[in-house]
Amino acid sequence: MVLTAADGSIRHANLAFRALVDRTADELAGRPWHEPLDEDDDRAAGFHRGAMERGQAPDDRPRRLRIAVTAKASRLAEAEVRPVDGDTAVVLVHVLSTEEADLRVIGELRTDNSDAVLWSLDLGSGRLRELFGPTPLGSLLAGEDRELDRILERVHPDDIARVRDAMSASFAGRDYEQRFRVFDRLGDERSLHVRARFVPGEPDRLIGIIDDVTEHVQLVRRLADRRRTEAEHGRLVTELSAKLVSATTVDKVMDLLSEEFLPIFGGYTAGALYVEDGVLRTSPGARGRGNTGLIDGRRADDTDFPMGAVIQDRQPRFFESRAEVVSRFPAAVDLMRNKDSKSQAWATVPIFGDSKVALGVWQMVWDRPHHASRDERALMLTFAGLAGQALQRIKAQQAELELADAVQRRMLPRQVASFPDLDIATKYLPSRADWRICGDFYDVVELPGGRVGLLVGDVQGHGVEAAAAMGQIRAAFRAYASNQSHPGVVLGETNRLLTDTGEIVFATCGYLVLERSTGDMQAAWAGQPPVVLAGPGGFEVWEPETGPPLGVLPDTVYPVTTRVLDPGTTLLLCSDGLVESTDVLMEDGLDKVGAALAEHCEDPEGAAHVLAEMAPAGRGDDIALLIARMRRPAA
């Protein structure tokens, strides 16, 4: 201990100080107390002057000084200046043991230039202080605050209850460890990991470490977000792949590539074009996006543009900047002059299936320079391959549908008979769910005596056999109807023909004979949906007595049900594909059809068109319908 004047000159040094610096009292008298110590004179003098001016040490920790003991070694000490009055001060020098010095060094290394604080909490007073003095993190978190309650005010509201519960347990003598969020003095949110040991004594204390784990938490969140993004991308890839596989039109494939794949690649816009008669075409919905509309209609062999070059050599091209595109395709600068174009990077890949001929091209566009990674390139080529397979399948299905429709219509009457007092409309719709030939049919037969036969039937099954059976039934039916006036006998004879052939062919059928002069109707039914009768006032469902389908029992007698068709009333005969499916009950389908027929009952052609557009049961089966209306007699 040293008693000094206001300027730091020694007035008296005790024996311990004189032994420490190995000087006599006379040698120390009048000299600055820090001169015999191994400390920078200017720094020590500034420290002493500041302590005298403020009346206390300028910081919360004593000054640490290196004190030379011998020429080859030094010991670590701490100096503290305590002003007595304006002219006198006491300087205390604490020499640390070797173990204490080691701990001090370790503590300094732990806190210097790191996001950590070594802290101590007085459980009696609730005051918090930093061991080894203030650190950057401590200043950022607490500043000059030392009261525990003031510091807890910065804890995140969602975490404060948990922090207070753990702190209460520590006051009861338990160790402390918590992760929680706080707001620093700048208002930024930080994540802390706080650990402490309970140290009993007078007073009890918590001594511990605060680590700033904000970067670690943010990294964990970024990794979690990345995993969620990858999982979402995986889900999108699976979902969009399924959509490509199940697409039923070329436009649908083009729209999928142009719209729904953007989130996976982070693109600004995208465009897809297919080759048709040597010309690039896109879907109607994609013409207003990006520069696709400017490419639509160009020849597919025009290699002055990236899309044409990709189609010709079937090699993908990836451009990271505008300059890269222009250097390879100077003509493309015209496309980039579009005032709405923000394009900065492009990825263009061919669309092809099993053959070596490109069916189209797909282009992803970014509004910033972008390097397509290896994974992105592989994924784009995979999607383009799926799109090519879908296009091949769709074209094959369209060709098959056109063939099936042509064969079906060839077997149906090209033009039904017409009558001056009877309006008749017919409609046939092939199935959209099954691209094969079907067996639904209709016919109108002119009979002797001013009568007309109306027929609608449905052969079980699909394919060429069903169509052949349909043609056979219609021809036999027409032959029997021409020679037999009783509709039940006509059905019976046709049924016997089917059973005698030995082929397993079944058909539902509804045959109605109408007396044009009186409106009398005779109906023979073989499992066909009932008749719908409609007028301006509403509709009703007429269910003739029915027998089994044709081809089931050889000697079936089909009953005949009679009724009168009033002038101005419209009737509908249809196959079950119009009113019944796995999702629609026949009763519900008949109600929807009846309401539409009543609304358009005075226009059979218009009613047929409306019902075809409605298709209440969907288009999972083919549909045949026949509408007839008795005209009102002239006044």
Side-chain angles (χ1 to χ4, degrees):
M1 181 170 60
V2 178
L3 184 66
T4 72
D7 61 358
S9 60
I10 297 175
R11 292 179 177 175
H12 174 75
N14 69 356
L15 181 61
F17 186 84
R18 297 198 299 270
L20 178 66
V21 298
D22 194 20
R23 304 284 180 89
T24 64
D26 293 337
E27 292 175 333
L28 293 175
R31 303 177 65 179
W33 61 266
H34 49 77
E35 182 180 310
L37 303 176
D38 186 14
E39 178 69 354
D40 180 83
D41 289 343
D42 293 337
R43 184 172 59 178
F47 169 72
H48 185 95
R49 185 169 52 255
M52 295 301 295
E53 291 175 354
R54 296 177 54 185
Q56 59 181 354
D59 53 24
D60 291 334
R61 59 178 178 176
R63 174 75 66 182
R64 287 191 294 273
L65 304 173
R66 290 286 180 179
I67 300 174
V69 177
T70 66
K72 298 182 179 180
S74 63
R75 298 177 65 186
L76 185 64
E78 289 183 348
E80 180 180 357
V81 178
R82 295 184 180 180
V84 177
D85 52 39
D87 297 327
T88 309
V90 175
V91 179
L92 304 176
V93 180
H94 306 278
V95 181
L96 304 179
S97 68
T98 303
E99 291 79 6
E100 288 179 308
D102 292 345
L103 291 176
R104 295 280 179 173
V105 171
I106 292 173
E108 292 175 2
L109 293 175
R110 181 70 175 86
T111 56
D112 286 350
N113 300 320
S114 68
D115 292 328
V117 175
L118 301 181
W119 61 280
S120 173
L121 173 64
D122 186 330
L123 296 177
S125 64
R127 288 186 61 83
L128 189 73
R129 73 181 183 91
E130 293 183 54
L131 301 176
F132 312 123
T135 61
L137 177 62
S139 299
L140 192 61
L141 294 177
E144 298 295 329
D145 292 335
R146 291 292 177 266
E147 299 297 330
L148 178 62
D149 288 339
R150 293 288 303 276
I151 295 174
L152 290 180
E153 291 176 359
R154 300 183 183 274
V155 177
H156 194 284
D158 294 343
D159 298 339
I160 184 62
R162 177 166 50 84
V163 171
R164 287 189 180 276
D165 289 344
M167 189 61 66
S168 298
S170 297
F171 274 87
R174 297 182 184 177
D175 292 345
Y176 183 90
E177 182 169 5
Q178 286 286 304
R179 279 179 180 255
F180 55 89
R181 293 162 293 173
V182 299
F183 295 98
D184 62 24
R185 297 172 63 200
L186 300 178
D188 295 330
E189 182 182 307
R190 292 178 175 271
S191 296
L192 303 181
H193 182 201
V194 181
R195 293 169 294 161
R197 291 286 177 84
F198 178 81
V199 180
E202 292 295 335
D204 296 336
R205 292 177 299 159
L206 282 179
I207 299 177
I209 302 174
I210 300 176
D211 288 306
D212 186 355
V213 294
T214 304
E215 292 186 2
H216 173 73
V217 171
Q218 292 175 346
L219 177 61
V220 171
R221 289 175 180 172
R222 286 195 296 268
L223 290 175
D225 291 341
R226 181 177 178 180
R227 291 192 183 98
R228 282 193 295 270
T229 301
E230 290 175 349
E232 178 67 14
H233 280 184
R235 186 190 64 79
L236 279 175
V237 168
T238 303
E239 179 182 324
L240 295 176
S241 298
K243 287 184 177 181
L244 278 178
V245 171
S246 60
T248 56
T249 65
V250 173
D251 286 346
K252 181 61 176 177
V253 174
M254 297 296 104
D255 288 340
L256 282 172
L257 294 177
S258 300
E259 298 175 7
E260 300 198 29
F261 285 86
L262 284 175
I264 296 177
F265 300 97
Y268 159 66
T269 185
L273 299 100
Y274 59 93
V275 179
E276 183 179 68
D277 298 328
V279 176
L280 289 173
R281 296 294 184 192
T282 187
S283 63
R287 293 192 180 115
R289 295 190 300 268
N291 292 328
T292 307
L294 302 177
I295 301 293
D296 186 54
R298 293 181 182 271
R299 293 193 56 81
D301 58 359
D302 187 354
T303 57
D304 289 339
F305 298 90
M307 287 189 168
V310 167
I311 288 177
Q312 290 306 303
D313 59 16
R314 303 186 308 282
Q315 296 298 316
R317 286 170 170 78
F318 301 91
F319 303 103
E320 299 182 18
S321 65
R322 285 177 171 244
E324 193 175 349
V325 176
V326 174
S327 65
R328 174 61 183 84
F329 297 97
V333 70
D334 294 333
L335 300 179
M336 291 186 285
R337 287 174 179 166
N338 180 10
K339 63 180 181 179
D340 296 327
S341 177
K342 300 179 182 179
S343 307
Q344 296 290 333
W346 296 260
T348 310
V349 298
I351 301 173
F352 55 87
D354 298 333
S355 64
K356 295 183 179 180
V357 178
L359 303 176
V361 64
W362 179 32
Q363 187 174 78
M364 185 68 62
V365 185
W366 291 268
D367 58 356
R368 62 191 183 283
H370 178 80
H371 172 74
S373 66
R374 180 180 299 179
D375 291 341
E376 286 179 327
R377 300 184 184 199
L379 193 55
M380 285 194 70
L381 290 172
T382 299
F383 284 140
L386 290 175
Q389 294 175 11
L391 291 178
Q392 280 188 320
R393 172 178 49 79
I394 291 169
K395 289 184 177 181
Q397 289 173 342
Q398 287 177 337
E400 184 178 349
L401 177 62
E402 292 171 0
L403 175 61
D405 192 38
V407 171
Q408 186 84 14
R409 296 185 185 281
R410 187 77 175 178
M411 291 187 174
L412 292 172
R414 291 189 176 183
Q415 186 175 0
V416 298
S418 60
F419 305 93
D421 52 358
L422 189 65
D423 293 326
I424 298 177
T426 58
K427 184 75 74 172
Y428 168 75
L429 301 172
S431 167
R432 287 179 178 170
D434 196 330
W435 304 93
R436 296 172 293 175
I437 303 172
C438 301
D440 286 20
F441 61 93
Y442 60 80
D443 205 351
V444 178
V445 184
E446 185 174 4
L447 302 175
R451 294 176 299 120
V452 59
L454 306 177
L455 172 69
V456 170
D458 182 2
V459 177
Q460 183 188 40
H462 302 84
V464 177
E465 290 140 355
M470 180 268 285
Q472 185 181 19
I473 292 173
R474 197 175 70 83
F477 212 100
R478 179 174 279 270
Y480 291 134
S482 299
N483 297 312
Q484 180 56 252
S485 61
H486 193 279
V489 175
V490 174
L491 274 188
E493 293 296 330
T494 308
N495 175 62
R496 184 174 294 106
L497 174 66
L498 284 181
T499 55
D500 288 345
T501 58
E503 298 181 6
I504 302 178
V505 177
F506 309 115
T508 59
C509 188
Y511 179 47
L512 188 150
V513 175
L514 173 64
E515 184 76 35
R516 290 159 44 204
S517 60
T518 63
D520 292 337
M521 295 186 293
Q522 292 181 308
W525 237 242
Q528 193 69 6
V531 182
V532 179
L533 300 172
F539 72 94
E540 65 171 305
V541 176
W542 175 37
E543 299 189 42
E545 187 178 353
T546 183
L550 303 179
V552 176
L553 300 173
D555 298 322
T556 301
V557 176
Y558 290 91
V560 174
T561 308
T562 61
R563 180 169 178 150
V564 176
L565 180 66
D566 296 327
T569 302
T570 303
L571 67 84
L572 165 69
L573 303 179
C574 66
S575 59
D576 60 354
L578 179 66
V579 294
E580 184 181 38
S581 69
T582 55
D583 299 322
V584 179
L585 297 176
M586 182 176 291
E587 291 79 3
D588 297 335
L590 288 171
D591 288 342
K592 294 180 181 179
V593 164
L597 186 63
E599 186 176 352
H600 301 85
C601 62
E602 297 183 358
D603 180 14
E605 287 290 345
H609 180 73
V610 169
L611 294 180
E613 290 293 324
M614 277 183 55
R619 293 292 297 277
D621 195 3
D622 50 343
I623 297 171
L625 61 89
L626 187 155
I627 300 175
R629 177 177 180 270
M630 287 281 291
R631 295 180 184 173
R632 296 183 183 275

